[in-house]
Amino acid sequence: MGSERSDADGGDTTAMALKILVAGGFGVGKTTLVGAVSEIRPLRTEELLSEAGQLVDDTGGVDRKTTTTVAMDFGRITIRSGLSLYLFGTPGQDRFWFLWDELSQGALGAVVLADTRRLEDCFPAVDYFEHRHIPFVVAVNCFATARTYGAHEVSRALDLDRGTPVVLCDARDRDSGKEVLIRLVEYAGRMHTARLLDTVG
């Protein structure tokens, strides 16, 4: 992702587009989040869950889920004038993780959605981004049937690196999702600036 220049009004303006990944376990709300915040009709690659998939996909805790993302979700949101985010929702099941390397190319950062009822499901996403030094925030999707935990408790349970933000959100709510994305952009910006200064120094 990069910058696009436009002088339709006679003056140069620079529009920046940033690539963001939305990751996490199966059924945690990735498709819901992308759909809630996207200002365009989101692209979805959902398929009905099959009997064959039941043998490899753990649907415990998400028994009412009938579809699954098999490639990616895609949406776009304008954070402010001149700054747009392109959102790529990753598939949650292990068998589709080969797509993650492709999707993560050029990403500014990632949102790791977490469900406290199945917190262990987001461990692989946390490990993936930590090992590749991709900045991420953990967004706890607050389901009505889940016990409420504070950000510090979630951070400790996931053994996150110090400073990795944990935010509580409702993936169905546009404003809540937008706040998560703003927090990620701010955090990733600080991380990239610090790394740039390290290389210069």
Side-chain angles (χ1 to χ4, degrees), residues 2-145:
S3 300
E4 299 173 2
R5 300 191 69 83
S6 169
D7 48 14
D9 300 324
D12 283 352
T13 58
T14 302
M16 182 175 287
L18 303 174
K19 181 179 184 180
I20 302 294
L21 299 186
V22 180
F26 178 64
V28 76
K30 300 179 295 293
T31 298
T32 300
L33 177 66
V34 173
V37 301
S38 181
E39 62 201 15
I40 61 172
R41 183 177 179 183
L43 166 69
R44 292 180 172 152
T45 56
E46 289 205 313
E47 295 292 339
L48 289 172
L49 288 171
S50 65
E51 288 185 19
Q54 290 176 359
L55 301 175
V56 290
D57 296 330
D58 178 13
T59 57
V62 286
D63 304 329
R64 291 186 294 175
K65 186 170 173 61
T66 59
T67 60
T68 185
T69 299
V70 295
M72 67 172 185
D73 300 311
F74 174 77
R76 185 190 72 211
I77 178 173
T78 302
I79 295 295
R80 59 172 170 74
S81 178
L83 177 59
S84 296
L85 304 182
Y86 290 128
L87 309 175
F88 292 80
T90 65
Q93 302 98 306
D94 304 10
R95 58 199 164 109
F96 295 125
W97 282 351
F98 66 91
L99 292 168
W100 285 37
D101 287 337
E102 206 61 45
L103 290 174
S104 64
Q105 291 294 320
L108 173 78
V111 173
V112 176
L113 269 179
D115 177 352
T116 57
R117 299 169 303 179
R118 297 160 49 108
L119 198 57
E120 67 280 2
D121 288 2
C122 71
F123 281 137
V126 168
D127 289 342
Y128 182 91
F129 297 123
E130 282 184 347
H131 287 127
R132 286 160 181 78
H133 304 290
I134 297 173
F136 68 94
V137 301
V138 173
V140 180
N141 193 8
C142 297
F143 290 89
T145 56

Side-chain angles (χ1 to χ4, degrees), residues 107-110 129-137 160-165 182-200:
L108 173 78
F129 297 123
E130 282 184 347
H131 287 127
R132 286 160 181 78
H133 304 290
I134 297 173
F136 68 94
V137 301
L160 296 176
D161 290 342
R162 185 174 178 175
T164 302
I182 290 172
R183 185 80 178 272
L184 170 63
V185 170
E186 291 172 346
Y187 175 65
R190 290 195 302 272
M191 293 292 289
H192 285 295
T193 299
R195 287 172 190 167
L196 185 62
L197 292 174
D198 281 346
T199 59
V200 172

